[in-house]
Structure formats: C-alpha cells, structure tokens
Amino acid sequence: MGHIVNGEREYRLLQQRLDQNITGAPSSPVLTRILKLLFSPAEAAIARKIPLRPVAVAALARKIGLPAEALQEKILLMAEKGLVFDFEYRGQAHVVLAPIVIGFFEFVYMRTRDDLPMRELAQLFEEYMYRDDRFARDVFQQNTQLGRALAQEEALPAGDYSEVLDWEKASHVIRSARTIGLSLCACRHKASHLDKACAAPLKTCLTFNQGAEMLIKKGMAEQAGAGAAMAVLEQCKQAGLAQIADNVQRSVGFMCNCCGCCCGMIQAIKTFDLRGAVVTSSWAAAIAPEACTGCGLCVRACPVEAIGLAAGSDGRTQAVCEASLCLGCGVCYQACKRGAIRLKGRGQQVVVPETTFDRMVAMAIERGKLSSFLFDDPSRLSHRALGRIAAMVEKSAPVKAFMAVKPLRSAFLSAIAAGAKKYTER
C-alpha cells in the first residue's frame, strides 16, 4: 500500500504547489480527482517541484536528482498534455508549472483529443469552478485581473475614436503580432462535452507571439495570418461575442471571443457577482432614449446583464444601462437595429499594467503572494529566508494601509517591479 499512500501525498503536495500560484488552487476532493486524471503519480512528484517562474531543466534536474535527459523526456510528455510550459531560452530548455487558469484548463480544451477523458474532466472542472465560489474568488479577487474588455471600435463615436490607444484596439493587437495562433474556445468546448454549449462559433481563441508559438508547436493552435484573424474577429462580433484580452498594454498574449453563457470569466461575474472579474474598457454603453423602441435586443445580447428595460419619462419602455456593470465591450451596439446605442468615455482611463511581469507583480501583491512569486525556489535557504521576510511584509498592517492610498500604491508597485526585474535578471 506504500505506493498508494505516496501517490496521494504527491497529489496533495501538487495542489499546495498550485495554490501558491497567483490565481490559486483551493484544496478540494474534486481538484484531486482532476489532478489524478491529468498527472500520473510520477508526474505529480516532478510537477510539484517545478517552480512557478521559469527554470532551466538542467538546473531542475540537479535539484531533484534526475539525469537531465530523463527529466527532459518527462517534461515533454507533460507539455504535450498542456500541464507545463516548456520553451528554449538562450539555447537552454526551460520549464514552468502551468496554473489552472490561464493554464492547464485551457490547454486541455483548446483542441480535440482522445488521450484524456474529456467529458469526465468537463464535469469535474464545472463542479470545481462553479459548485461553490472558492476557486472563483481566488482567481478574481482584488483589482488587477487576467483579462480586460476591448471596446468594439465601430461602436465608438467618431469624435472620440482618435483618443483610443493602440493597446485598446483589437485590430492593433492582431496586426502588430509577429505570430498568431487560432484554437478552439476552451470554455465552449468544455460546455460541448456537457451538452450545453451555445451556438456561437467554436474556433475563436486567438493567441499571440511567444505564447502562440508554443501552442502551435504543441498542436494546441494552428498558425493564422493577420487577415484570417481579422476575419475571425468580424465573425465573432456578428455572433454577439465580447472581446476579452490579456490585461496588459504591451505584447498581449491572448484574445478571447466570449459568450455570456459559457465563458468562465463572465460566469464568475454572473454566478458569484464578482463584478470586477474582467477589467472594463474605458468606455460604457450610452442609450439614446429618443431612438430606443424598447425592443429588448440589447438586453438579450449583453453578456453580463448590465442592460434592462424600464419606463422612460414619457412612459415608453426603454433600455437602460447600468454603467458600473457595463464591460464597455460594444456587443449591444451590434445588437441594436435602431442605432440607439454608442459607447462613450467613462471620464477616466482604466489602468492597465504595461507588461505581463507588471501585471503578475500587481496581482501577487494584492493577493498576498509576492513571496511565492519572487522567491520561488524552496531548495535554496536564501530564497526561503527572503520569502519569509516578504510574507511578513505583505501581511503587516502598515503595508496594508500604505497600499490603500492609490498614489503610494502606484509608486510601491513600480519600485517592487523594478527591484524584482533586477532580481530575476540576476
């Protein structure tokens, strides 16, 4: 029975390792069942020793006492299943443990496959993500999020369009990417295995640059040109899908085309009232009462139920948008047949991290996981010591009060990011 006990231990330790990630992985018997379907006990034993930041495979092999060639072979098998990220940097193979999201959930369902029990996994992911709110609240807590809404450009008033920054435009994200990958929408694909997917197009997930290159190499995406990606974007707009992109300004990694019924981010908003799960665009829907007939098309189209019908001042039924709930995506503009809806500026630019590193540092600080992010190498005493210090700083009352003051918070984040970049370069 020893091997069974050890196997259970490895899955428990893997869950704990995944929970150190910025987006978390709360303990649950359901998560354990998911991990057992995805990882063999031997893979779990390796995976739970892989840092949350990239590490050279040769260095990891020395740390865990395996020949580098043998470890590389095992990592390649896990990477094919989408459980780890592997890539080359300066001629050396590197690896990093994939989180649940954005990570191995998406990589399981971004393609059709027969090497995994897809229906059983879909049922388990559904239960883990939506049976209670623990996972959703781990992923979508605080202010900095994984995804941000993009405003459909044609929905913007002509006078304001010149004020839209390049990183706010889906067209710019597509046309500026050096590599584009096209995959199945993981959320709708998962829903299809539960017999409850909507009729929206399925092959709509766009990835860019290094992430796209990795997915294409692993067969999880097919390479697409900018023209083909723009055609997918237009198809998705016509289908009433909202564009939700990587919450960064530079080197955007992904762009989802999301429906209100299957998308995990939108379901977190609607199921658990986590209204900040997706960062809004800098725009919100504005409805012209004189043009609105109260037909309700926009109400049915809004993915987050931010629009309702109410009696206007003249007694006519009209659409009303709650700006605080609105994503600023422009889906309602496409749905309206009367030209009664446009997007208007919110009056304040939404703050978006400049790079993926800046986003991750901000998320780590907000979630009290800065120590895990910066000092994630448990084999080195110096890292453990620094990690404990950082953890104490994060939890101290003065730092919490300090972070509540927005100008100080911004300066603190910038200083932490600058220092962490120097640390990781070393």
Side-chain angles (χ1 to χ4, degrees), residues 286-289 291-293 336-342:
I287 301 168
C292 178
T293 62
C336 182
K337 306 302 181 185
R338 308 289 297 184
I341 301 179
R342 284 279 183 180

mmCIF file of all heavy atoms in Angstrom, residues 286-289 291-293 336-342:
data_model
loop_
_atom_site.group_PDB
_atom_site.id
_atom_site.type_symbol
_atom_site.label_atom_id
_atom_site.label_comp_id
_atom_site.label_asym_id
_atom_site.label_seq_id
_atom_site.Cartn_x
_atom_site.Cartn_y
_atom_site.Cartn_z
ATOM 1 N N ALA A 286 -24.010 53.952 -23.986
ATOM 2 C CA ALA A 286 -24.909 55.105 -23.810
ATOM 3 C C ALA A 286 -26.093 54.898 -24.750
ATOM 4 O O ALA A 286 -25.915 54.693 -25.961
ATOM 5 C CB ALA A 286 -24.188 56.402 -24.121
ATOM 6 N N ILE A 287 -27.296 54.940 -24.214
ATOM 7 C CA ILE A 287 -28.516 54.668 -24.991
ATOM 8 C C ILE A 287 -29.265 55.969 -25.222
ATOM 9 O O ILE A 287 -29.563 56.712 -24.281
ATOM 10 C CB ILE A 287 -29.404 53.658 -24.259
ATOM 11 C CG1 ILE A 287 -28.619 52.350 -24.032
ATOM 12 C CG2 ILE A 287 -30.686 53.386 -25.038
ATOM 13 C CD1 ILE A 287 -29.277 51.380 -23.087
ATOM 14 N N ALA A 288 -29.550 56.277 -26.482
ATOM 15 C CA ALA A 288 -30.308 57.484 -26.844
ATOM 16 C C ALA A 288 -31.794 57.192 -26.673
ATOM 17 O O ALA A 288 -32.368 56.418 -27.453
ATOM 18 C CB ALA A 288 -30.000 57.887 -28.284
ATOM 19 N N PRO A 289 -32.466 57.782 -25.679
ATOM 20 C CA PRO A 289 -33.865 57.430 -25.399
ATOM 21 C C PRO A 289 -34.800 57.752 -26.557
ATOM 22 O O PRO A 289 -35.792 57.044 -26.771
ATOM 23 C CB PRO A 289 -34.196 58.259 -24.150
ATOM 24 C CG PRO A 289 -33.159 59.318 -24.080
ATOM 25 C CD PRO A 289 -31.947 58.770 -24.714
ATOM 26 N N ALA A 291 -34.276 57.381 -29.650
ATOM 27 C CA ALA A 291 -34.183 56.391 -30.727
ATOM 28 C C ALA A 291 -34.558 54.984 -30.263
ATOM 29 O O ALA A 291 -34.820 54.109 -31.092
ATOM 30 C CB ALA A 291 -32.764 56.376 -31.296
ATOM 31 N N CYS A 292 -34.555 54.741 -28.950
ATOM 32 C CA CYS A 292 -34.809 53.403 -28.422
ATOM 33 C C CYS A 292 -36.298 53.067 -28.470
ATOM 34 O O CYS A 292 -37.145 53.871 -28.047
ATOM 35 C CB CYS A 292 -34.308 53.311 -26.979
ATOM 36 S SG CYS A 292 -34.609 51.727 -26.186
ATOM 37 N N THR A 293 -36.627 51.877 -28.970
ATOM 38 C CA THR A 293 -38.028 51.430 -29.040
ATOM 39 C C THR A 293 -38.363 50.415 -27.955
ATOM 40 O O THR A 293 -39.490 49.924 -27.908
ATOM 41 C CB THR A 293 -38.317 50.806 -30.411
ATOM 42 O OG1 THR A 293 -37.482 49.647 -30.583
ATOM 43 C CG2 THR A 293 -38.053 51.802 -31.539
ATOM 44 N N CYS A 336 -28.308 46.327 -31.546
ATOM 45 C CA CYS A 336 -29.351 47.341 -31.730
ATOM 46 C C CYS A 336 -29.605 47.605 -33.214
ATOM 47 O O CYS A 336 -28.687 47.931 -33.969
ATOM 48 C CB CYS A 336 -28.939 48.637 -31.029
ATOM 49 S SG CYS A 336 -30.194 49.940 -31.150
ATOM 50 N N LYS A 337 -30.854 47.484 -33.629
ATOM 51 C CA LYS A 337 -31.235 47.705 -35.033
ATOM 52 C C LYS A 337 -31.682 49.146 -35.290
ATOM 53 O O LYS A 337 -31.949 49.518 -36.434
ATOM 54 C CB LYS A 337 -32.377 46.755 -35.421
ATOM 55 C CG LYS A 337 -32.095 45.285 -35.147
ATOM 56 C CD LYS A 337 -30.847 44.796 -35.859
ATOM 57 C CE LYS A 337 -30.595 43.312 -35.600
ATOM 58 N NZ LYS A 337 -29.320 42.840 -36.176
ATOM 59 N N ARG A 338 -31.750 49.954 -34.255
ATOM 60 C CA ARG A 338 -32.251 51.330 -34.371
ATOM 61 C C ARG A 338 -31.147 52.374 -34.277
ATOM 62 O O ARG A 338 -31.408 53.571 -34.309
ATOM 63 C CB ARG A 338 -33.291 51.603 -33.274
ATOM 64 C CG ARG A 338 -34.417 50.603 -33.185
ATOM 65 C CD ARG A 338 -35.378 50.717 -34.337
ATOM 66 N NE ARG A 338 -36.046 52.022 -34.334
ATOM 67 C CZ ARG A 338 -37.003 52.373 -35.205
ATOM 68 N NH1 ARG A 338 -37.381 51.507 -36.134
ATOM 69 N NH2 ARG A 338 -37.569 53.560 -35.148
ATOM 70 N N GLY A 339 -29.906 51.933 -34.093
ATOM 71 C CA GLY A 339 -28.819 52.884 -33.953
ATOM 72 C C GLY A 339 -28.915 53.718 -32.690
ATOM 73 O O GLY A 339 -28.470 54.872 -32.653
ATOM 74 N N ALA A 340 -29.504 53.134 -31.641
ATOM 75 C CA ALA A 340 -29.754 53.884 -30.409
ATOM 76 C C ALA A 340 -28.623 53.767 -29.394
ATOM 77 O O ALA A 340 -28.684 54.407 -28.342
ATOM 78 C CB ALA A 340 -31.064 53.418 -29.770
ATOM 79 N N ILE A 341 -27.602 52.966 -29.698
ATOM 80 C CA ILE A 341 -26.542 52.724 -28.721
ATOM 81 C C ILE A 341 -25.180 53.072 -29.312
ATOM 82 O O ILE A 341 -24.863 52.714 -30.449
ATOM 83 C CB ILE A 341 -26.524 51.255 -28.255
ATOM 84 C CG1 ILE A 341 -27.872 50.873 -27.634
ATOM 85 C CG2 ILE A 341 -25.403 51.009 -27.244
ATOM 86 C CD1 ILE A 341 -27.951 49.431 -27.181
ATOM 87 N N ARG A 342 -24.410 53.780 -28.526
ATOM 88 C CA ARG A 342 -22.997 54.035 -28.806
ATOM 89 C C ARG A 342 -22.220 53.845 -27.508
ATOM 90 O O ARG A 342 -22.809 53.798 -26.417
ATOM 91 C CB ARG A 342 -22.784 55.462 -29.324
ATOM 92 C CG ARG A 342 -23.196 55.674 -30.763
ATOM 93 C CD ARG A 342 -22.107 55.182 -31.694
ATOM 94 N NE ARG A 342 -22.437 55.421 -33.098
ATOM 95 C CZ ARG A 342 -21.649 55.083 -34.106
ATOM 96 N NH1 ARG A 342 -20.478 54.525 -33.869
ATOM 97 N NH2 ARG A 342 -22.011 55.300 -35.349
#
